[in-house]
Amino acid sequence: MRKRMIAGNWKMNKTYSEAVVLAEELACALADGTKGVDVVVCPPAVDLKGVGAVIDQKAAPVALGAQNVYWEESGAYTGETAPDMLTAVGATYCIIGHSERRGYFGETDEDVNRKAKALMAHGIVPISCCGESLETREAGEHVAFVVNQIKADTEGLEITDPSKYVIAYEPIWAIGTGKTATADDAQEVIGAIRETLREVFGEKAEGIRILYGGSANPGNIAGFLEKQDIDGALVGGASLKAESFVAMIESSAE
């Protein structure tokens, strides 16, 4: 049985003090637990230390995640962050391959693959993103496109514990637009992702969680979770307020 997950991607939002306040609000709201749902928050890099401190001090049932990583251990890579730097501030998850990283910063499937391997070597769980553009969907090529992404992103990965690798399917046309894929739309692609994972990892694929991302919110999360292959959500805007994020966690409890 795969454990459900709600992960918040704060993107480039929240100053240090604002991030600490939000973390404190979440810690308070979740003081009685998450009812079996794994919860992750991914603040900007400069906020990781502060948010992690709140999680530790309040013993909050929340894991700390980063939004990006570089695959080298150290060196002349100005502006980048190494995996052990994330570990040092308490991060146990890291988003990789987000469409904004791919689109704005030219990241490739090869980059995503390298990052996944580096993270897993340091015991950090990748939340590896994939998804198609509106043009690709309208051409009817969305399933094949995403399947090819998954094959490239997982090339050569060795998975012993399938709970330590997470995929987030995020149709690009539904990110930050207010548009969402229907639950059936999402299941079509996520079902194909699951089948591809079976081809790559065999029976371990059944334990890999696949999240939906793309304007997920308290009003639509329940519909996605009714689908057999959808295990939670990677949440953007709705994760920036404690009330809406906690509502999604509560809706995800089984």
Side-chain angles (χ1 to χ4, degrees), residues 84-130:
D84 65 349
M85 295 175 180
L86 299 181
T87 301
V89 295
T92 54
Y93 288 82
C94 183
I95 298 169
I96 55 175
H98 193 281
S99 63
E100 291 158 2
R101 296 297 312 176
R102 294 176 188 260
Y104 299 150
F105 303 102
E107 293 189 3
T108 66
D109 286 321
E110 182 181 19
D111 295 335
V112 175
N113 181 258
R114 287 177 175 178
K115 291 179 180 187
K117 289 174 179 175
L119 289 170
M120 294 171 78
H122 285 265
I124 301 173
V125 180
I127 301 177
S128 187
C129 300
C130 59

Side-chain angles (χ1 to χ4, degrees), residues 31-75:
D32 293 330
T34 63
K35 300 180 181 178
V37 179
D38 278 345
V39 178
V40 184
V41 293
C42 302
V46 296
D47 298 340
L48 284 168
K49 183 69 172 177
V51 173
V54 172
I55 291 171
D56 290 342
Q57 291 165 6
K58 304 290 186 180
V62 177
L64 183 66
Q67 296 179 16
N68 192 26
V69 71
Y70 196 59
W71 55 81
E72 296 289 353
E73 296 293 320
S74 62

Side-chain angles (χ1 to χ4, degrees), residues 5-14 22 26 39-45 47-48 62-68 93-101 104 127 129 168 170 175-176 211-216 233-241 245 248:
M5 173 181 285
I6 298 294
N9 178 13
W10 295 2
K11 304 190 179 184
M12 197 176 73
N13 295 291
K14 304 297 181 184
L22 178 53
L26 289 173
V39 178
V40 184
V41 293
C42 302
D47 298 340
L48 284 168
V62 177
L64 183 66
Q67 296 179 16
N68 192 26
Y93 288 82
C94 183
I95 298 169
I96 55 175
H98 193 281
S99 63
E100 291 158 2
R101 296 297 312 176
Y104 299 150
I127 301 177
C129 300
E170 40 157 29
I175 299 173
L211 313 180
Y212 170 76
S215 299
L234 178 60
V235 187
S239 71
L240 296 176
K241 293 185 178 180
F245 192 56
M248 295 187 73

Side-chain angles (χ1 to χ4, degrees), residues 11 20 25 31 104 113 116 128 132-133 145 147 177 180 184 194 207 209 211-212 216 219 231 237 245:
K11 304 190 179 184
V20 167
E25 291 173 348
Y104 299 150
N113 181 258
S128 187
E132 81 284 355
S133 67
F145 179 87
V147 163
T177 63
T180 56
D184 286 337
R194 180 81 62 200
R209 287 177 286 191
L211 313 180
Y212 170 76
D231 304 307
F245 192 56

